[in-house]
Amino acid sequence: MRPRRTALAGALLGTLILAGCGQTGTTATPSAAPSASPAPASSADFPVTVEAGNGKVTLAKKPERIVSLSATHTETLFAIGAGPQVVAVDDQSNYPAEAPKTDLSGFKPNVEAIVAQKPDLVIVSNDIDQIVAELGKVNVPVLLEPAATKLDEAYEEIAEIGAATGNQAKADEVVSGMKTAMDKLAAEAPKDKKLTYYHELDQTPYAATSQTFIGQVYGLFGLTNIADKAPDQAGGYPKLSAEFVAQADPDMIFLGDVKCCQQSKDTLAKRPGWKGLSAIKNDQVIQLDDDLASRWGPRVVQLAESIGAAVAKAGAKS
């Protein structure tokens, strides 16, 4: 039985980057690419019971009308071949382009609007306003898959969504591809450079420590996170002062607030005391895709690729 996780940290992260905007033109890696055709699933595969964040969820038959209220899980559904089963996704689900985007909200879920889609499965990443229980009252199965706090949990969730939707084989294939790609990127990283970094969630500035999901992705590359020494860890997402960052003077700065907040090396240089930061002077400010930096689904491989390329470049210069 897998441990049940809290979505608190994920909710905080999601709120901070809720303004993360539309889809960019990046191309998914083979392991993360959306699949048009689902893996075969016979009626013999059901009923199936999945141990999710809301406990054991039993599905009597393969769901054919899935509603996703999580941008991450929308990406997962299409990556594992469940796209044809998805009838509606929330207003933050901007990838892939063919996802049936609606005005449904994962942050302010409306039971009546969700039920109007006649779902036989709803997938959420937060139990906001007790949406799991509320949908349970009208006999709508809900799979709660909270924000992953480590890569293994992300892999586990993809497998669970695969099982729940009748796409287990394709889900296993996606997870296997992700693991292979991540292991390769980690093995290639120049870990002897002792580089420090700062990952910015927004320009307040909020950061992420090594204990968070994204912090553990950075950890694969042997980087030292300046936020780990913040006086108040705030559940892994501390609010840093401009002085703290300036004093830490990270070798690299990764921005997860580009699309939402138009942050760049130039905007950072205008902050008090930041113009002389090593990362700015040495052109080591990396603009990430906000969506990739805030989701824990199959496209985390693309995020890792961006980080890996930046680390290799910085390592070559140091």
Side-chain angles (χ1 to χ4, degrees):
M1 180 180 298
R2 80 185 187 122
R4 297 175 68 176
R5 302 186 300 279
T6 175
L8 178 60
L12 172 59
L13 176 58
T15 300
L16 291 172
I17 43 75
L18 179 58
C21 307
Q23 169 187 351
T24 61
T26 53
T27 303
T29 56
S31 63
S35 174
S37 57
S42 68
S43 57
D45 295 326
F46 289 83
V48 65
T49 298
V50 176
E51 181 79 10
N54 53 321
K56 292 183 178 180
V57 178
T58 299
L59 295 159
K61 61 181 181 177
K62 178 180 176 180
E64 298 294 347
R65 296 189 61 82
I66 300 172
V67 170
S68 171
L69 299 183
S70 162
T72 294
H73 300 324
T74 295
E75 294 190 9
T76 292
L77 286 164
F78 279 82
I80 65 173
Q85 299 161 252
V86 180
V87 296
V89 302
D90 71 301
D91 55 2
Q92 298 299 305
S93 290
N94 55 7
Y95 185 90
E98 62 266 31
K101 189 174 181 180
T102 69
D103 59 0
L104 291 175
S105 173
F107 289 88
K108 294 182 179 180
N110 182 300
V111 175
E112 290 75 16
I114 297 169
V115 172
Q117 297 291 336
K118 299 180 180 179
D120 48 16
L121 176 64
V122 175
I123 302 180
V124 299
S125 56
N126 291 293
D127 190 16
I128 295 176
D129 295 337
Q130 296 183 318
I131 188 63
V132 174
E134 291 302 310
L135 288 172
K137 292 178 182 178
V138 289
N139 298 316
V140 175
V142 183
L143 204 64
L144 171 62
E145 298 287 359
T149 61
K150 54 187 177 182
L151 280 167
D152 283 346
E153 287 180 357
Y155 300 146
E156 191 174 53
E157 289 193 357
I158 293 170
E160 289 167 358
I161 292 173
T165 62
N167 295 279
Q168 183 72 67
K170 180 60 178 178
D172 291 344
E173 180 185 323
V174 168
V175 169
S176 178
M178 289 174 68
K179 288 181 177 179
T180 298
M182 297 295 275
D183 289 346
K184 183 174 184 291
L185 288 167
E188 294 173 346
K191 300 182 178 65
D192 59 336
K193 300 299 181 180
K194 307 299 181 184
L195 297 169
T196 60
Y197 80 97
Y198 157 58
H199 174 88
E200 179 167 290
L201 294 172
D202 74 1
Q203 69 271 37
T204 307
Y206 274 95
T209 70
S210 296
Q211 300 307 308
T212 62
F213 177 81
I214 194 166
Q216 293 188 13
V217 174
Y218 282 108
L220 296 175
F221 300 93
L223 301 177
T224 298
N225 191 343
I226 68 165
D228 290 346
K229 293 185 177 180
D232 181 1
Q233 294 290 291
Y237 300 99
K239 181 177 180 180
L240 306 180
S241 67
E243 293 76 17
F244 179 92
V245 177
Q247 184 174 6
D249 192 21
D251 297 307
M252 308 177 73
I253 296 177
F254 293 86
L255 299 177
D257 52 358
V258 178
K259 290 189 293 185
C260 75
C261 315
Q262 293 75 54
Q263 295 304 292
S264 66
K265 183 178 73 172
D266 292 339
T267 62
L268 295 189
K270 295 177 182 178
R271 297 182 188 178
W274 284 34
K275 185 176 182 180
L277 289 180
S278 297
I280 294 176
K281 291 191 298 182
N282 298 329
D283 195 25
Q284 294 299 325
V285 177
I286 298 90
Q287 292 179 288
L288 300 173
D289 180 310
D290 297 30
D291 295 335
L292 297 184
S294 62
R295 298 174 187 175
W296 60 96
R299 291 200 298 161
V300 70
V301 173
Q302 287 184 325
L303 172 65
E305 288 173 343
S306 297
I307 296 171
V311 171
K313 177 183 175 183
K317 286 186 176 183
S318 63

